[in-house]
Amino acid sequence: MVTTPSLAPDFPVLEAYRRMFLLRRFELKAQDLYRRGGMPGFIHLYVGEEASATGVCLHLRRDDYVSSTHRGHGHALAKGIPPRQVMAELFGKATGCSGGRGGSMHIYDPDAGFLGTNGLVAAGIPLAVGAALAGQLRGSGQVAVSFFGDGAVNHGAFHEGLNLASAWNLPIVFICENNLYATEMPFAKATRNPDVASRGAAYSMAAEAVDGNDVEQVWRAADRAVRRAREESRPTLVECRTYRHLGHHEGDPGTGYRTKEEVEAWKKQCPIAMLKARALESGAATEEQLKEIEKEVDAIVADAVEFAQSSASPDPATALDHIFPEAAGVESGRHA
Ligand SMILES: Cc1ncc(C[n+]2csc(CCOP(=O)(O)OP(=O)(O)O)c2C)c(N)n1
Ligand SMILES: [Mg+2]
């Protein structure tokens, strides 16, 4: 395992560890439950990429906005949606944050500023640009963050979004989680320029690349970017270089297009193990403190599962609710 120098005194090591550990345990539990057959739909797990959502969301206010991806459970949890509501949504239960209508790829919570996980690659980018514009018009100091993968950066929505954000000086942070593959397509084969951060120059936008498995590095880069957005109303592109430990989705073993050696090498760079080693080495945390956090998180995840499994499915009589906006004078779920 490669370790980097000791943690800076202002880095919130315990909170970072808590959030990353929650994201990891939540996903591994979801994987187990999915394999047992109780969870409908598709799930794409975030295991290995926890430092990115954590390092960024530690800087966000509750009323800041986040748009996410198909691999978005970690973004939802890091932005502050309660684990109970996220787990219940994965099970399609009425108590889920989208009332059980959404599932894994439509986790949505306006109260937490969460503009949704998203089944369409790159589709969260324009949503966040719009939210940043809204924040700018309100003068509220709200910031928008768009998380997306390397698979999104050759889409029109990425280029249009960055261009508009730059032209209108929007308070937004674009976070590319470059895990080197889009499904089974290696990023280096999909483009002649796999240096995502270099693309910021095309839009005269501040940009940097970081080790996306080093939560402190992500946290520092996100600090610069969120300040630039909040205080100067200017956008930033941050490329977090990372890797998914598991397959593309549950069901893909993730081995047909990646060598065992490559996967193992990245697992040795596990963001959680690296933070733990550095926290202990530097004396920023004790073994007991980290164990206590792990115990607390395990209890939270167990409670979320119990909550989700014991919740009711949505009542069929409400199938047409939430489809038409009440404000348009349309009675709940039915044409007037
Ligand atoms: C517009 C669109 N095209 C294709 C797909 C099918 N698809 C789902 S995930 C994915 C790969 C996404 O890769 P990336 O953006 O790098 O995210 P990662 O899965 O690596 O986290 C593709 C092609 C889709 N969901 N939406
Ligand atoms: Mg990818």
Side-chain angles (χ1 to χ4, degrees):
M1 183 181 311
V2 176
T3 55
T4 37
S6 65
L7 296 158
D10 59 336
F11 177 68
V13 58
L14 296 180
E15 188 50 32
Y17 190 75
R18 183 189 312 279
R19 289 205 203 184
M20 288 207 293
F21 199 76
L22 171 65
L23 271 46
R24 174 69 57 93
R25 287 302 236 244
F26 185 97
E27 291 292 66
L28 291 177
K29 197 66 193 168
Q31 178 186 49
D32 177 47
L33 295 164
Y34 188 84
R35 287 180 175 186
R36 289 168 194 265
M39 198 181 280
F42 261 131
I43 55 171
H44 304 76
L45 300 175
Y46 197 56
V47 175
E49 306 187 24
E50 297 89 350
S52 155
T54 300
V56 173
C57 290
L58 278 169
H59 295 287
L60 300 184
R61 303 190 324 214
R62 189 156 176 87
D63 67 343
D64 287 333
Y65 297 106
V66 161
S67 74
S68 170
T69 67
H70 55 287
R71 197 176 302 290
H73 310 162
H75 305 141
L77 293 168
K79 184 61 175 66
I81 308 182
R84 277 183 166 200
Q85 269 88 68
V86 180
M87 191 62 88
E89 194 53 46
L90 298 190
F91 276 95
K93 296 297 183 72
T95 52
C97 56
S98 304
R101 265 96 168 152
S104 171
M105 282 181 273
H106 300 90
I107 292 169
Y108 182 84
D109 186 352
D111 292 337
F114 195 73
L115 302 176
T117 51
N118 205 310
L120 292 176
V121 171
I125 295 174
L127 296 180
V129 170
L133 175 61
Q136 187 189 59
L137 291 172
R138 283 190 205 111
S140 56
Q142 285 166 293
V143 165
V145 172
S146 178
F147 288 99
F148 51 87
D150 48 283
V153 306
N154 298 321
H155 278 249
F158 170 83
H159 298 282
E160 292 171 33
L162 266 70
N163 185 61
L164 208 57
S166 175
W168 289 353
N169 290 324
L170 296 182
I172 185 165
V173 183
F174 299 98
I175 303 285
C176 177
E177 300 182 319
N178 181 0
N179 60 11
L180 306 179
Y181 294 86
T183 324
E184 73 288 348
M185 169 62 84
F187 188 45
K189 268 197 185 173
T191 176
R192 290 267 182 222
N193 177 14
D195 180 351
V196 176
S198 75
R199 298 183 184 206
Y203 304 101
S204 296
M205 185 181 297
E208 62 179 303
V210 295
D211 176 348
N213 283 15
D214 180 337
V215 66
E216 191 190 13
Q217 266 198 46
V218 175
W219 182 78
R220 292 238 166 271
D223 185 34
R224 291 187 278 275
V226 171
R227 277 177 201 276
R228 188 175 292 121
R230 211 181 300 288
E231 294 164 17
E232 302 170 35
S233 196
R234 285 201 295 136
T236 306
L237 169 64
V238 180
E239 177 187 1
C240 294
R241 294 183 176 154
T242 184
Y243 201 79
R244 60 171 153 77
H245 290 184
L246 305 174
H248 172 66
H249 58 82
E250 254 316 288
D252 163 32
T255 50
Y257 47 91
R258 312 188 299 184
T259 64
K260 216 188 242 172
E261 291 71 28
E262 180 181 296
V263 176
E264 287 312 310
W266 276 96
K267 281 186 178 171
K268 288 204 177 94
Q269 300 291 318
C270 166
I272 298 173
M274 287 206 310
L275 178 63
K276 187 174 193 168
R278 288 173 62 198
L280 295 176
E281 268 168 34
S282 64
T286 65
E287 192 86 57
E288 292 68 40
Q289 281 174 312
L290 300 185
K291 277 220 174 80
E292 191 54 35
I293 287 173
E294 291 170 10
K295 234 173 68 186
E296 283 168 24
V297 166
D298 281 342
I300 288 168
V301 173
D303 169 73
V305 172
E306 163 64 23
F307 175 81
Q309 290 186 321
S310 62
S311 290
S313 294
D315 181 346
T318 67
L320 296 180
D321 287 358
H322 314 300
I323 294 174
F324 302 103
E326 305 289 334
V330 181
E331 221 178 277
S332 176
R334 287 171 189 82
H335 284 288

